[in-house]
């Protein structure tokens, strides 16, 4: 089946893409670029960097703008998916949704409207097990945004290691956070993974952080041989 | 003795991408509760396979996946199966069709209130719960079945008389994991 992946450049969409690629043809990645930093639906830090990730994986990227207003952005998502269907002939959409009924329902409705299949290969997965799978399958993931107590500045730009996963498991127990960050606590960016023919090297980045909210913005990067 | 549960994968083909969404979450919930499970695509379920398990769950499918509807005869074993069985969404539709009911259009996507109207070992006492729906079709109540939930249109849950054969239209793996644990403990 020819599929399009809703692609933010974070770990969930990259992992979902890899799983979908096992037995399907990934015709394109679909990135909705939101002007609203607090978008309900779309991951925002470093969203423009998906272009280099797509290049690293050798998959075409369809980039679609949205102003990121609460329900209007769904119309933009539908337009983006319709464009992917028309341009790349996709028969279905893949998302990295794990627990978010809010996101899953909206994408399901869009797919139904457009008569497309909808796949959520991470749906309801145990989040700590999943974080460990990312590492064991060779994904290199950094934390690109923090948005909740008690994430300190040291998380920004840090790689997802076993030590960090243990910390997240502890925070899940103590503060009921989603360790994968799907509740908006964390954002991530993938530098390398099993689908990457080349890996991403960050040359320059900047950091902003205050009161447990911060972003790690990639300013310069390049592809290097693995 | 530990209860072993067979998870019948109703997706359009064996090892499809949908199994991660509709079968694996159920396996994970049950195995974390101490019930070993085995996944078997519905076209490969035979009497020999069934003989090795104590209970059976017929799992759901993607919204656009209706292939199981063309293969209802593949579930002929349901009529003679003397083991606790739970059909989820597409699985409920298959149970209905196998016992003389019909599969009818009734689309729903998202969280909805579900009214449990009759007490049962699976769902407990009458009350309202919130459940996650993802279906284009529902199923009518076959003769000899009791409506456990849902007042209007097709039932949201049913049971074959007092036998441990159940169907639920919503997905218990989302927000209602207790139903799977309760079924495993029946």
């Amino acid at each position: 089946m020819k599929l399009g992946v809703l692609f933010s450049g974070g770990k969930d969409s990259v992992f979902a893409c890899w799983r979908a690629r096992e037995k399907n043809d990934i015709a394109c990645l679909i990135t909705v670029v939101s002007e609203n930093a607090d978008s309900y639906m779309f991951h925002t830090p470093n969203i423009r960097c998906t272009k280099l990730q797509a290049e690293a994986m050798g998959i075409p990227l369809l980039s679609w703008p949205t102003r990121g207003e609460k329900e209007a952005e769904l119309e933009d998502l539908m337009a983006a998916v319709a464009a992917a269907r028309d341009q790349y002939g996709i028969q279905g959409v893949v998302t990295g949704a794990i627990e978010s009924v809010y996101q899953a329902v909206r994408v399901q409705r869009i797919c139904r409207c457009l008569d497309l299949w909808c796949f959520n290969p991470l749906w309801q997965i145990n989040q700590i097990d999943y974080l460990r799978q990312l590492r064991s399958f060779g994904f290199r993931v950094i934390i690109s945004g923090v948005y909740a107590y008690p994430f300190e500045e040291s998380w920004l730009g840090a790689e997802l290691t076993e030590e960090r996963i243990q910390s997240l498991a502890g925070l899940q127990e103590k503060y009921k956070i989603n360790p994968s960050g799907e509740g908006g606590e964390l954002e991530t960016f993938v530098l390398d993974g099993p689908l990457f023919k080349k890996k991403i090297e960050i040359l320059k980045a900047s950091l902003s952080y205050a009161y447990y909210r911060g972003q790690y913005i990639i300013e310069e990067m390049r592809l290097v041989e693995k | 003795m530990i209860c072993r549960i067979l998870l019948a994968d109703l997706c359009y083909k064996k090892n499809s991408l949908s199994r991660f969404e509709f079968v694996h979450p159920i396996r994970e919930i049950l195995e974390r509760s101490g019930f070993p499970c085995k996944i078997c695509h519905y076209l490969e379920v035979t009497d020999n396979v069934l003989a090795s398990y104590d209970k059976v769950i017929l799992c759901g499918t993607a919204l656009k996946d209706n292939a199981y509807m063309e293969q209802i005869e593949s579930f002929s074993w349901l009529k003679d199966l003397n083991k606790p069985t739970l059909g989820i969404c597409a699985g409920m539709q298959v149970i209905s069709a196998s016992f003389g009911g019909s599969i009818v259009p009734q689309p729903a996507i998202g969280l909805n209130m579900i009214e449990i109207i009759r007490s049962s070992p699976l769902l407990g006492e009458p009350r309202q719960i919130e459940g996650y729906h993802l279906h284009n079709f529902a199923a009518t109540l076959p003769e000899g079945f009791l409506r456990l939930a849902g007042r209007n249109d097709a039932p949201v849950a049913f049971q074959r008389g007092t036998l441990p054969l159940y169907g639920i239209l919503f997905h218990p793996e989302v927000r209602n994991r207790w139903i799977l644990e309760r079924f495993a403990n029946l």
Side-chain angles (χ1 to χ4, degrees):
Chain A
M1 198 181 292
K2 276 179 98 168
L3 301 174
V5 179
L6 296 188
F7 194 79
S8 67
K11 59 182 172 33
D12 303 339
S13 58
V14 179
F15 189 86
C17 180
W18 172 66
R19 256 199 179 155
R21 180 78 171 254
E22 284 174 341
K23 291 186 177 167
N24 298 278
D25 172 19
I26 305 302
C28 66
L29 307 175
I30 304 165
T31 293
V32 178
V33 181
S34 177
E35 293 167 9
N36 177 4
D38 296 319
S39 165
Y40 283 84
M41 282 292 287
F42 308 113
H43 176 117
T44 45
N46 303 308
I47 194 77
R48 286 173 179 79
C49 303
T50 56
K51 191 176 172 195
L52 199 66
Q53 290 172 314
E55 192 183 327
M57 291 190 279
I59 301 173
L61 175 73
L62 190 150
S63 185
W64 198 267
T66 177
R67 290 174 65 185
E69 291 159 358
K70 192 172 178 184
E71 291 297 332
E73 66 183 359
L74 293 172
E75 291 169 20
D76 294 329
L77 176 60
M78 175 125 80
V81 173
R85 180 194 59 188
D86 298 342
Q87 219 172 306
Y88 294 97
I90 62 167
Q91 299 157 283
V93 166
V94 180
T95 88
I98 298 175
E99 291 273 353
S100 172
V101 167
Y102 178 89
Q103 289 189 1
V105 161
R106 279 154 182 77
V107 177
Q108 290 280 3
R109 286 182 182 146
I110 285 170
C111 288
R112 186 171 186 272
C113 250
L114 297 173
D115 195 27
L116 293 171
W117 287 72
C118 184
F119 296 101
N120 300 284
L122 299 180
W123 191 235
Q124 305 296 307
I125 199 168
N126 178 282
Q127 296 184 30
I128 293 296
D129 289 353
Y130 159 56
L131 295 178
R132 294 205 164 102
Q133 278 186 47
L134 280 164
R135 284 181 46 74
S136 66
F137 288 121
F139 291 84
R140 283 191 59 219
V141 178
I142 58 166
I143 311 298
S144 55
V146 296
Y147 305 94
Y149 180 83
F151 290 108
E152 294 167 348
E153 191 172 353
S154 62
W155 282 85
L156 289 173
E159 190 162 338
L160 187 70
T161 57
E162 176 55 31
E163 195 184 352
R164 293 276 175 191
I165 294 170
Q166 284 178 21
S167 297
L168 288 166
L171 295 176
Q172 179 185 29
E173 203 162 300
K174 195 167 177 188
Y175 298 104
K176 308 290 176 213
I177 64 146
N178 282 297
S180 73
E182 211 195 20
E185 302 92 333
L186 287 175
E187 299 284 6
T188 60
F189 185 79
V190 177
L191 299 174
D192 195 8
L195 286 183
F196 282 54
K197 293 168 184 147
K198 292 183 177 179
K199 62 183 178 182
I200 293 175
E201 183 180 71
I202 297 171
L203 301 171
K204 189 179 170 195
S206 62
L207 243 156
S208 65
Y209 181 87
Y211 304 110
Y212 306 104
R213 290 176 66 85
Q215 293 191 339
Y216 177 85
I217 306 292
I218 301 168
E219 292 176 358
E220 281 177 40
M221 59 186 173
R222 66 175 178 181
L223 292 181
V224 294
E225 298 299 329
K226 292 172 76 166
Chain B
M1 202 175 82
I2 296 171
C3 163
R4 294 157 305 167
I5 302 176
L6 182 70
L7 303 181
D9 172 359
L10 268 60
C11 298
Y12 65 104
K13 65 176 182 180
K14 186 179 177 181
N15 292 330
S16 72
L17 187 55
S18 292
R19 77 190 190 280
F20 292 110
E21 188 174 349
F22 296 99
V23 188
H24 285 207
I26 292 168
R27 180 178 67 180
E28 185 164 315
I29 292 163
L30 292 170
E31 291 198 334
R32 279 183 191 273
S33 301
F35 300 98
C37 297
K38 161 99 174 163
I39 296 170
C40 183
H41 191 257
Y42 73 98
L43 293 175
E44 295 181 354
V45 173
T46 61
D47 289 342
N48 274 347
V49 172
L50 290 163
S52 306
Y53 298 91
D54 305 300
K55 291 178 180 162
V56 178
I57 296 179
L58 308 176
C59 301
T61 67
L63 204 55
K64 205 170 149 54
D65 184 352
N66 303 322
Y68 61 92
M69 289 187 199
E70 309 302 320
Q71 304 277 352
I72 294 295
E73 70 285 356
S74 305
F75 299 92
S76 57
W77 47 267
L78 267 172
K79 285 198 141 183
D80 300 320
L81 187 67
N82 193 22
K83 295 177 180 184
T85 301
L86 171 64
I88 298 170
C89 197
M92 179 188 192
Q93 297 163 30
V94 162
I95 291 171
S96 172
S98 299
F99 285 87
S102 305
I103 298 173
V104 294
Q106 191 177 302
I109 300 173
L111 289 168
N112 289 319
M113 289 312 293
I114 292 163
E115 190 174 3
I116 298 171
I117 58 171
R118 181 188 286 268
S119 174
S120 69
L122 182 69
L123 300 178
E125 295 303 309
R127 66 198 186 285
Q128 288 207 335
I129 61 170
E130 195 176 42
Y132 181 67
H133 289 259
L134 185 67
H135 54 84
N136 278 325
F137 297 91
T140 62
L141 195 68
E143 199 179 326
F145 279 63
L146 302 171
R147 180 187 288 256
L148 299 182
R151 285 196 185 277
N152 304 317
D153 305 322
V156 177
F158 62 39
Q159 178 179 6
R160 187 181 184 204
T162 55
L163 297 172
L165 172 60
Y166 297 94
I168 54 177
L169 194 54
F170 56 100
H171 288 264
E173 64 273 24
V174 181
R175 312 254 176 120
N176 286 298
R177 295 175 175 204
W178 60 273
I179 295 175
L180 294 167
E181 288 161 7
R182 204 155 164 157
F183 174 74
N185 281 304
L186 281 178

